[in-house]
Amino acid sequence: MDAALKAHTCAVVDEYLAVARWCVNTDRGGGAVWGYPAALLLFSATDAIGRGLLRANKGSAARLDVLARPPFNLPLNVAQIALLRRAHRNPLTHNAQLGMGAVLGPDRVGPPFEFQPGGIVYVRLPMFCDVLERGWASCRGTFAPPHG
C-alpha cells in the first residue's frame, strides 16, 4: 500500500468529518444547522471509508453499504442502503438537492437514519456524524484507499 496515498486520504476524511461536525454544531438561527454541507460531507466521507475498507465492487455506486458492516454495524438492509444512495449520490453531489424522500434534521437523539413508509428517510445529522466519527476512529489504521 502507498503510505503517502493513505496519509493523504486519511487527512481528507479527517477534514470532511471536522467540517461536518462544525456544520451540525453551528446554529444558523432558529435551531437550524448547516444541513446540506454536513450531509454532503458525511455521505462523501462514508463513501471514501467504504472504498478503503470493502473490496472493490463493479460499478460506481457509493459504498454506503459500509454502514451495515464493522465498525459501524448499523441495522441497514439492502433497500435502506439504496434509499441512502438515492438521497446522496447525484442529487446532493451534483444538483445541490436531496434525493426524493430524504429529510435532514438536527436531532441529537435517536438513530442516524429513520426509514418511513413511502421511501422516506429522515437523516439525523448529528447522530450520523457521531457514528462516522466513532467508526472512523476505530478503522483508520486498517483503511486502505484505492488508487484514483
Side-chain angles (χ1 to χ4, degrees):
M1 175 178 46
D2 183 338
L5 175 65
K6 178 177 178 168
H8 173 77
T9 307
C10 285
V12 171
V13 172
D14 291 341
E15 288 179 14
Y16 284 177
L17 294 176
V19 175
R21 174 57 63 194
W22 181 88
C23 288
V24 301
N25 285 346
T26 303
D27 189 326
R28 287 183 30 194
V33 298
W34 296 92
Y36 278 77
L40 179 59
L41 291 165
L42 292 169
F43 281 114
S44 294
T46 303
D47 188 19
I49 294 167
R51 290 176 189 280
L53 292 181
L54 304 176
R55 298 182 73 193
N57 64 346
K58 294 181 181 179
S60 61
R63 294 310 307 260
L64 305 183
D65 50 323
V66 73
L67 293 169
R69 300 180 186 186
F72 305 102
N73 298 314
L74 295 178
L76 301 172
N77 62 41
V78 172
Q80 291 169 330
I81 292 166
L83 285 175
L84 293 175
R85 281 191 186 112
R86 186 179 76 192
H88 155 66
R89 184 63 178 165
N90 291 319
L92 183 58
T93 303
H94 303 295
N95 299 340
Q97 303 167 3
L98 283 175
M100 294 291 291
V103 179
L104 303 177
D107 311 43
R108 296 186 179 278
V109 176
F113 309 109
E114 182 179 318
F115 297 90
Q116 300 170 358
I120 306 293
V121 58
Y122 184 79
V123 182
R124 290 178 178 88
L125 292 167
M127 304 311 293
F128 186 13
C129 196
D130 289 349
V131 165
L132 277 186
E133 287 172 335
R134 281 192 310 270
W136 177 238
S138 72
C139 72
R140 197 174 192 280
T142 60
F143 178 75
H147 288 273

